[in-house]
Structures are given as C-alpha cells and as structure tokens.
Amino acid sequence: MAPPVTEGEAPFRVPSVDKPCVTWYKIVGDLKTSKKLPLVAVQGGPGFAHDYLISFADLAIDPYDLTVVFYDPIGTGRSTHLPEKNGDEAFWTEQLFEDEFNNLLKHLGIERYDFFGHSWGGMLGSRIASKRPMGLRRLILADSPASMKTWAESARKLLHKLPKEVQDTVEKHEKDGTTDSPEYQAAISVFMNTYVMRLDPWPTEVLSVFEWMMKDPTVYYTMAGPSEFNITGSIKDWDITPELHKISVPTLVLNGKYDEATDEVVGPLFWKIPHARWYTFPNSSHMAFWEEREAYMRFIAEFLAQE
C-alpha cells in the first residue's frame, strides 16, 4: 500500500523581510503513527528545490517504512521567493537556513529525527550537528565538503581532466565575465554530465530542479556563484573543519567514485568526526541515489536501523 503524502506550508518569519514568508514541505509517510524516527532530507545548491531528492520516498515503502520529510528552502521551489535580495550576501546566510530548518521542525512537531544532507544540505547538516541539538539521532552527509576552498580546488582539478576545448571555453568566459553565455553553459554541461549525474537521460525530477533555479537563481548565484568550480559567493570561505570534532552522533559519509565531491573533499568529515563511517558508491558521481538507487536506499536504511 502506498504511504500517505502530506503537503503544506510552514509560516517562517524573517525579521528583515516585510512580507509573510512560508516554507513549503512534503511528508511521505505518517509522522503521527510511525514507530520510526522521521528522516529529514535537505538538498543541495544552495538554492535547489527538493524535487531531485524525491527518490528517497522509496524509504517510505515496504520493507523500510520510514517517514521522509522534504522541503523547499526559502528562495527555492514552492516556498517564498525573494528576488529582491539577489546579491545580498548579508541576507542569504547559513544562519537563515538553520533558523528555517528549526522553524520547520517546530511547526511539524518533530522532536527527534535523523538528518540526510546532500551537498550544501550536508554543509548545513554538519553545522547543525556541531551544535549538538537534542533531537538529532543520526547524521548522513552525502557528497558534501568540509571546506569550500578544498571543494573549489578539487573542482578545478576535475575541470582540467575534461577536453581542452571545454577548459578553454570556461577560462575565456570567466576571464571576460561572460559566464551567462550559451558557450559557457554548454561547457558547464560537460562537467555536470561527468561529475554530477552520469545517467542519460537525466531523471525529470533532477532536470526540474535546474528549471526552478533558472526561473530564480537568486540563492545559488548569491551564495555560490556562476558554477560548481567558480565559487564567488558568500560561502566561498565556508569551513566546518575546526568544528567537526564536536559532532557526537553516529555519522555516515557518502560519495561516488566519479563525484565532484572527491575523496579529498569529503575525507575530513570521516577523519575528524568521532563516530563516522565512509562509503563510496563505485558506479556513481554526485547523485548515487539515482545512479545506484536500490543499493543506496538499502545502505541508508541499514545505517538508520542500527541502535
């Protein structure tokens, strides 16, 4: 039998914004009747909608029977958009999204939970976990960096493995400040098809996230920048490494063999978090939950089922 699906909006008060704001959410499963803790899934970007994580709804059906909570952070998807804040690095902060996460938990009445964070979602998750919130039981950091400096350096190395014409196109348009050109975007696509998603064609749920972002790139462009290897936004100096030893919950670190989140990028999460495990999916890049979907869900469920 298919699990119940609930959609709604959580009011989210942002002090510096005059209009009412909401966080849109989707729950697959039943928070009230489930005997297992909910898994809250937080996506990447920053600035991506939840759609590409919907494969995690697999965990809500037999034999796993978990309840999975998805949401679109403010500025993305079906939540309140604030294009007037484009370029405002003082507004789009990690603290804003941490406050939103806690507000959503309170709205839904979630006191204890497991956390899955992909890419930027893992960055947010590691920060939250370093503060040792009472309700967090287990943490999954998927394809996520410990520092953006290492991420950018590693991404450049990956770029230099691509055909020279791709490298030349990227370097030319970054030098000229024309990263919105079709040529630059085509070169970015080569990078994405190599290190982000290796399926052909891409799942429609993944494509929809980029469609959302094209409609309103405010969050991604302000916090990250024009591409995965040209980080110019407010998170360019982000680094959780000094705080990783404070994470006390059992933690699972994941990446793919062909991932833009290379071993160099995710390694410090494993080395410095006291109770961490690390697994690399052998046939995947940045989205193993699509590329090796069945094995991925089984692996996640086994980790969450441990006492």
Side-chain angles (χ1 to χ4, degrees):
M1 185 172 65
V5 176
T6 304
E7 297 181 2
E9 295 178 340
F12 178 43
R13 183 178 179 275
V14 183
S16 60
V17 175
D18 293 333
K19 65 183 180 183
C21 297
V22 298
T23 302
W24 181 95
Y25 63 84
K26 173 185 284 187
I27 302 168
V28 183
D30 195 324
L31 288 173
K32 295 181 179 178
T33 63
S34 178
K35 296 180 181 179
K36 300 178 180 180
L37 291 187
L39 177 66
V40 184
V42 184
Q43 59 273 34
F48 285 0
H50 84 285
D51 304 55
Y52 81 104
L53 292 185
I54 201 63
S55 55
F56 280 84
D58 293 355
L59 293 172
I61 61 178
D62 186 68
Y64 308 124
D65 298 319
L66 295 173
T67 297
V68 186
V69 178
F70 304 95
Y71 70 100
D72 290 344
I74 188 170
T76 71
R78 302 148 191 84
S79 295
T80 302
H81 285 246
L82 299 168
E84 65 272 21
K85 296 290 187 179
N86 187 29
D88 189 346
E89 294 188 4
F91 177 81
W92 297 108
T93 63
E94 184 180 49
Q95 188 62 54
L96 172 69
F97 293 104
E98 183 179 341
D99 291 343
E100 181 183 36
F101 176 80
N102 290 328
N103 180 74
L104 178 63
L105 294 186
K106 183 178 180 180
H107 177 81
L108 296 176
I110 297 174
E111 296 182 354
R112 297 189 68 230
Y113 59 94
D114 295 321
F115 187 109
F116 171 88
H118 179 246
S119 201
W120 153 255
M123 294 165 65
L124 184 64
S126 59
R127 180 69 71 190
I128 290 171
S130 73
K131 298 178 181 180
R132 299 183 176 178
M134 292 294 293
L136 177 62
R137 186 188 69 117
R138 285 181 176 266
L139 175 67
I140 304 170
L141 304 176
D143 320 279
S144 183
S147 85
M148 286 308 297
K149 179 181 179 182
T150 305
W151 173 280
E153 291 172 349
S154 179
R156 280 287 163 184
K157 294 176 185 177
L158 295 177
L159 174 63
H160 291 153
K161 293 181 180 181
L162 296 178
K164 189 173 185 305
E165 58 268 25
V166 174
Q167 299 178 46
D168 291 345
T169 298
V170 168
E171 291 172 5
K172 175 185 183 299
H173 286 287
E174 289 183 352
K175 180 180 178 180
D176 295 344
T178 53
T179 55
D180 57 348
S181 74
E183 283 186 348
Y184 184 81
Q185 296 305 318
I188 295 299
S189 294
V190 176
F191 183 93
M192 301 287 279
N193 287 325
T194 307
Y195 303 119
V196 176
M197 167 64 74
R198 295 168 74 88
L199 296 181
D200 185 17
W202 283 23
T204 56
E205 295 89 345
V206 177
L207 292 172
S208 71
V209 169
F210 292 93
E211 292 170 2
W212 275 114
M213 196 178 74
M214 288 177 65
K215 293 177 184 177
D216 183 5
T218 296
V219 181
Y220 185 83
Y221 282 8
T222 303
M223 296 186 71
S227 73
E228 297 292 280
F229 41 80
N230 189 16
I231 308 298
T232 59
S234 59
I235 61 171
K236 62 181 180 296
D237 297 319
W238 186 93
D239 190 347
I240 192 65
T241 308
E243 309 299 318
L244 291 176
H245 69 282
K246 297 179 182 178
I247 298 177
S248 57
V249 298
T251 301
L252 181 61
V253 178
L254 301 172
N255 69 335
K257 181 179 179 180
Y258 308 101
D259 203 333
E260 62 175 334
T262 61
D263 290 356
E264 177 186 18
V265 166
V266 307
L269 301 173
F270 172 70
W271 299 324
K272 295 182 178 295
I273 296 175
H275 306 289
R277 295 172 54 196
W278 180 6
Y279 183 76
T280 299
F281 286 89
N283 301 307
S284 296
S285 55
H286 199 54
M287 297 189 186
F289 41 87
W290 287 105
E291 295 159 304
E292 296 181 68
R293 182 170 176 172
E294 184 177 345
Y296 198 97
M297 298 308 159
R298 184 169 60 249
F299 199 88
I300 294 287
E302 289 174 355
F303 173 72
L304 295 178
Q306 297 171 13
E307 295 297 330

